[in-house]
Amino acid sequence: MTSLQTPLYNLSEFPLVYEPAEDTHLFLDALEKDMDNLLQIKPVTICEIGCGSGILITALASIFKNTCCYFCTDINPQACLATKNTALLNKADIECVQMDLTSCLKAQWRFDVIIFNPPYVVTEENEIKGNGLNRAFAGGKKGRIITDKFLKSLVNILSDNGVCYVLFLKDNILVEVEKIMQQNGFCSTVIMERKIPGEHLYICKFNKKH
Amino acid sequence: MKLLTHNMLTSKCIRGVNVGYPLSINASDVRVADVDFNPDFISRMIPKIDWPVLYNAVERLGHVEDLPKETPVNYESNEDFLKKAHHALLEVEIIHGELVCPESGRKFPINNGIPNMLLNEDEI
Ligand SMILES: C[S@@+](CC[C@H](N)C(=O)[O-])C[C@H]1O[C@@H](n2cnc3c(N)ncnc32)[C@H](O)[C@@H]1O
């Protein structure tokens, strides 16, 4: 099995960036577990939404090296800087653009791998504002406002053989999401789950039905 | 920001903008990085690239050198061409400058190699 190292990072200059936590580590473990499948699709374009510290996409870059290009977005300007910094620390070459999800990508563009550890906490809707650290958590109703918006766009940004990984919390009611995605032409599989104090986390993988 | 990224971006997310592509470039700081060349990766990327947009962007930045105006036939086996494409796509980077929406004139600043494409609520 190809092992996925946790990249070096240093957020001391970026106090408003989400510090890698249990969710981030579950994500790394899930990507590692699914690595044989990832290698098999021979991706050339990899994208992370909401890169935060940038350690997830940097970890993928350390595996796929110069066989792929790496693109990521975050609405938080410090997260974009932190990701560039993490990439540099690990000698990875990662492009980062500050934007909302993938709203400024041209319609025809597709990625082979997309990962998103979204803001998944159930909050009041009005907490989803600005572009600071609150945006790392605030998910509004069912903690799904941002995730649902992202998943709605997935059909247009994922290549036909592509795979997408998203983190969910029990409160997000994943079965609802899987049903909607099924109707939108996707298969979904929970590839890893973990109970930590106060949270039950899942990594769900989506791919287009053929 | 690499010119590969420029090839992917639009400002169509602005209310009233239809295509928003390609974005014009004003660059005040351009650097040429040294990126590992992988001919197989580049030749798999070529079909995804809007070549005229890439060509105009490198030309605008003054780094066109002898990049061909069109992709040659059988480019997969043309290592010389793939190296030039690699250079244009991955090595020429805009560190500071701005991207400009071709329809509305809205400017998106690029600082430290990161374009800021975030819109205000009243623009969406
Ligand atoms: C839970 S954190 C994950 C950070 C990092 N990927 C990790 O796993 O440690 C969620 C990230 O998504 C970003 N984010 C939230 N809403 C976003 C949106 N609409 N578009 C882009 N990024 C967003 C936040 O700024 C934050 O960096």
Side-chain angles (χ1 to χ4, degrees), chain A residues 41-45 66-69 71 75 80-81 84 93 95-100 103-107 109 111-112 131, chain B residues 1-2 4-5 7-10 12-13 21 35-38 41 44-45 48-50 90 93 112-118:
Chain A
I41 66 165
K42 293 195 172 26
V44 280
T45 50
N66 70 355
T67 64
C68 285
C69 55
F71 176 84
I75 41 167
C80 297
L81 281 167
K84 280 289 201 186
D93 200 4
E95 287 284 277
C96 190
V97 179
Q98 189 188 353
M99 72 170 88
D100 181 15
S103 55
C104 297
L105 289 183
K106 70 179 178 192
W109 194 268
F111 293 103
D112 300 325
N131 47 22
Chain B
M1 186 195 76
K2 298 177 189 297
L4 166 60
T5 302
N7 219 270
M8 304 162 33
L9 296 176
T10 106
K12 71 169 188 321
C13 44
Y21 175 86
V35 177
D36 237 11
F37 173 56
N38 177 352
F41 165 70
R44 290 182 65 199
M45 286 303 288
K48 302 175 190 288
I49 301 301
D50 183 339
L90 303 179
E93 292 198 34
N112 303 301
I114 304 168
N116 177 359
M117 305 282 301
L118 210 56

Side-chain angles (χ1 to χ4, degrees), chain A residues 93-158:
Chain A
D93 200 4
I94 294 171
E95 287 284 277
C96 190
V97 179
Q98 189 188 353
M99 72 170 88
D100 181 15
L101 302 176
T102 55
S103 55
C104 297
L105 289 183
K106 70 179 178 192
Q108 312 87 307
W109 194 268
R110 299 283 184 277
F111 293 103
D112 300 325
V113 178
I114 300 177
I115 59 177
F116 190 19
N117 177 7
Y120 53 71
V121 180
V122 180
T123 62
E124 294 296 322
E125 212 109 322
N126 61 16
E127 287 178 54
I128 307 179
K129 61 163 190 278
N131 47 22
L133 189 54
N134 61 310
R135 295 301 299 263
F137 308 94
K141 194 176 170 202
K142 299 179 192 170
R144 268 212 347 243
I145 299 296
I146 305 297
T147 307
D148 282 352
K149 190 172 162 196
F150 160 72
L151 288 174
K152 222 174 144 181
S153 70
L154 188 60
V155 66
N156 298 319
I157 52 173
L158 188 67

Side-chain angles (χ1 to χ4, degrees), chain B residues 61-72:
Chain B
L61 299 183
H63 285 269
V64 77
E65 290 144 39
D66 49 1
L67 188 75
K69 264 201 142 118
E70 279 159 35
T71 50

